[in-house]
Amino acid sequence: MIHHIRLIGLLISACSVLLACQTHSKRPPSDIRAATDKEMAQVKPEWIEKECNVGLYEELFVACVTVTAKQMPVLDVNRREQFGEHYDPAEWLECMKQSAESGKRGDGGCDMFKTRRVENPEYWPNPSMPPVQWPAAPKDPVYRSWMTSRHYFEALCKAEAGEFIYKTVSDVEGVYLVRPMNYVYTGDIFDKYVQYAPYVRSRGFGRRTDAREFRFVGQNKYSFFENPLPYHLSQIEINRFIIGDPSYFEKPKVADLTVARYSGYTGLPVPNGTSADMDRQMRVEYAKQVKARYGLTWREIRRPSDFEKGVLGSEIAIVDLASGEILALARGFAMAEQVTHAPSGRMQWSFPCPYNEKRQDLYSFTQAVLKPAAH
């Protein structure tokens, strides 16, 4: 009897720790009836784009989320990092139907069952540039089977993390961002799999108000900064509330433009002006070709058992856009930890390594390698 009680206690403890017995078990079906074919035929693509939160009455809302669930891809175990830890179209559908019952549509409570990666493509400006030669992984990995996540994280930080400057350049006028990082919503940030390169994000990529040009352009800084045009256009609505200059929101009038170039900002107060007047110094122009000689990009790196242990690595490179040479590299790691105050199953990322008080963001690392020209 005592043995049985101890066994039950161990099972309860394990369930509490792993959250597997209570958090993501299949929820009981909603009392709302299933959508009919006729109702689903009325669903419009723009409703799905807005996740069905467009003021639909209950039957059409259920039809909309049902169509959405049918369009969600099946989880591919061979590409596990492309899908959230709790990705499940059927579970998402039931959760959304129950949100309609409880009056909590659109509160984000079901997002974890739909979370997928948002791709962050590279935009190389020079097709003839040789491929970038990223450093290979160490031949002798530091991972050992006995390691906890914390042990593994600390071992990788000690063995591999750091900033490596191979060459510096003086009198640099501007910089091009080869691979911007899209803004990641809360559900993605807390996910073990789909979070892109948390170390890179910690250096200033992918923030909600990611107008990085204001950090790079100014007095004693670079005279211009460049983004791929598709990324700039994707940020227009986000930046509309923080940047006042009209040039930010003008759409290109010529089809073959590829670059958004920012210049004119000094970072100095405008006489008798406000901070908004100072921001309006920054102007945007569209161009066919990248003007900068040097660019910034990043990539994820894989190490043995990294996803299993919740330890992710990534690298930032400063690249010569003519030769493909890497002038400098920053490599770091971050560890996923359970969030005690967030919805069950959510993760947060520990403060990544390495930590450099003097060079915490992307600009401070860049200007240590590409010395801005005096202007």
Side-chain angles (χ1 to χ4, degrees):
M1 181 68 175
I2 293 175
H3 173 74
H4 289 156
I5 292 174
R6 287 176 176 172
L7 179 59
I8 291 171
L10 288 172
L11 290 173
I12 292 173
S13 176
C15 179
S16 175
V17 171
L18 297 175
L19 297 171
C21 302
Q22 57 181 0
T23 305
H24 302 301
S25 58
K26 298 296 182 182
R27 64 185 69 237
S30 165
D31 292 332
I32 298 178
R33 67 168 175 79
T36 65
D37 291 341
K38 182 178 180 180
E39 290 166 344
M40 287 190 284
Q42 299 178 57
V43 174
K44 300 178 181 180
E46 53 266 33
W47 298 354
I48 295 176
E49 289 178 7
K50 297 181 179 180
E51 299 192 346
C52 306
N53 293 311
V54 290
L56 301 173
Y57 61 84
E58 186 174 283
E59 287 78 4
L60 275 184
F61 176 78
V62 172
C64 183
V65 295
T66 301
V67 172
T68 302
K70 289 178 179 291
Q71 294 179 354
M72 292 166 63
V74 176
L75 190 151
D76 185 348
V77 295
N78 295 318
R79 301 172 67 243
R80 187 63 187 85
E81 72 279 2
Q82 298 295 319
F83 299 85
E85 185 175 6
H86 308 294
Y87 180 84
D88 188 329
E91 190 77 353
W92 178 81
L93 175 58
E94 284 301 322
C95 182
M96 292 297 284
K97 289 167 68 175
Q98 290 184 13
S99 75
E101 285 182 311
S102 61
K104 295 182 178 180
R105 296 187 195 180
D107 69 350
C110 305
D111 289 352
M112 69 172 69
F113 303 115
K114 190 185 180 185
T115 299
R116 294 175 60 204
R117 275 202 170 189
V118 177
E119 296 299 328
N120 294 276
E122 291 180 305
Y123 299 88
W124 292 103
N126 181 6
S128 63
M129 186 193 82
V132 173
Q133 299 299 311
W134 293 92
K139 294 181 179 180
D140 299 318
V142 300
Y143 177 72
R144 301 292 182 269
S145 60
W146 54 264
M147 285 182 169
T148 64
S149 295
R150 173 64 65 178
H151 287 140
Y152 193 24
F153 170 66
E154 292 176 350
L156 283 169
C157 290
K158 182 178 180 180
E160 294 193 51
E163 295 180 355
F164 310 94
I165 298 177
Y166 311 118
K167 182 187 294 186
T168 60
V169 182
S170 299
D171 297 323
V172 176
E173 292 287 345
V175 180
Y176 172 65
L177 184 59
V178 176
R179 189 182 188 187
M181 180 179 282
N182 290 304
Y183 172 71
V184 174
Y185 292 87
T186 303
D188 301 0
I189 291 173
F190 282 119
D191 193 271
K192 180 179 179 179
Y193 289 101
V194 303
Q195 165 68 290
Y196 255 120
Y199 166 69
V200 173
R201 191 172 299 280
S202 76
R203 300 298 294 260
F205 281 85
R207 293 174 180 169
R208 178 67 173 173
T209 53
D210 194 9
R212 192 175 297 103
E213 57 273 17
F214 283 91
R215 185 74 176 101
F216 276 72
V217 176
Q219 188 178 50
N220 300 321
K221 296 183 178 181
Y222 303 109
S223 61
F224 69 89
F225 183 81
E226 295 175 314
N227 266 327
L229 183 58
Y231 178 74
H232 170 81
L233 296 178
S234 74
Q235 299 297 296
I236 284 180
E237 288 305 318
I238 293 175
N239 290 333
R240 187 174 295 278
F241 301 101
I242 62 167
I243 301 169
D245 185 70
S247 64
Y248 263 82
F249 317 113
E250 295 175 357
K251 300 292 180 67
K253 296 180 175 63
V254 181
D256 59 348
L257 301 177
T258 63
V259 183
R261 185 176 301 129
Y262 314 87
S263 61
Y265 182 72
T266 65
L268 301 176
V270 176
N272 301 317
T274 64
S275 59
D277 294 323
M278 184 170 68
D279 288 349
R280 290 191 188 99
Q281 295 175 338
M282 187 78 82
R283 299 289 188 271
V284 182
E285 61 177 329
Y286 301 132
K288 294 182 179 181
Q289 295 181 332
V290 169
K291 183 178 178 181
R293 169 68 184 268
Y294 305 98
L296 301 165
T297 189
W298 58 273
R299 69 165 185 167
E300 292 184 292
I301 55 176
R302 298 301 308 272
R303 296 295 183 260
S305 300
D306 49 5
F307 272 114
E308 292 82 350
K309 292 297 183 180
V311 178
L312 298 184
S314 49
E315 294 173 335
I316 302 169
I318 299 176
V319 179
D320 185 322
L321 297 176
S323 66
E325 178 187 9
I326 293 180
L327 305 183
L329 185 85
R331 182 186 300 119
F333 299 88
M335 181 181 69
E337 298 177 300
Q338 185 68 45
V339 179
T340 57
H341 60 277
S344 298
R346 297 283 181 93
M347 311 296 289
Q348 69 179 359
W349 295 93
S350 63
F351 198 86
C353 71
Y355 177 72
N356 187 329
E357 288 187 357
K358 295 182 179 180
R359 289 208 290 267
Q360 294 183 36
D361 65 0
L362 185 62
Y363 172 76
S364 55
F365 172 58
T366 304
Q367 62 85 33
V369 180
L370 306 176
K371 311 292 185 179
H375 63 273

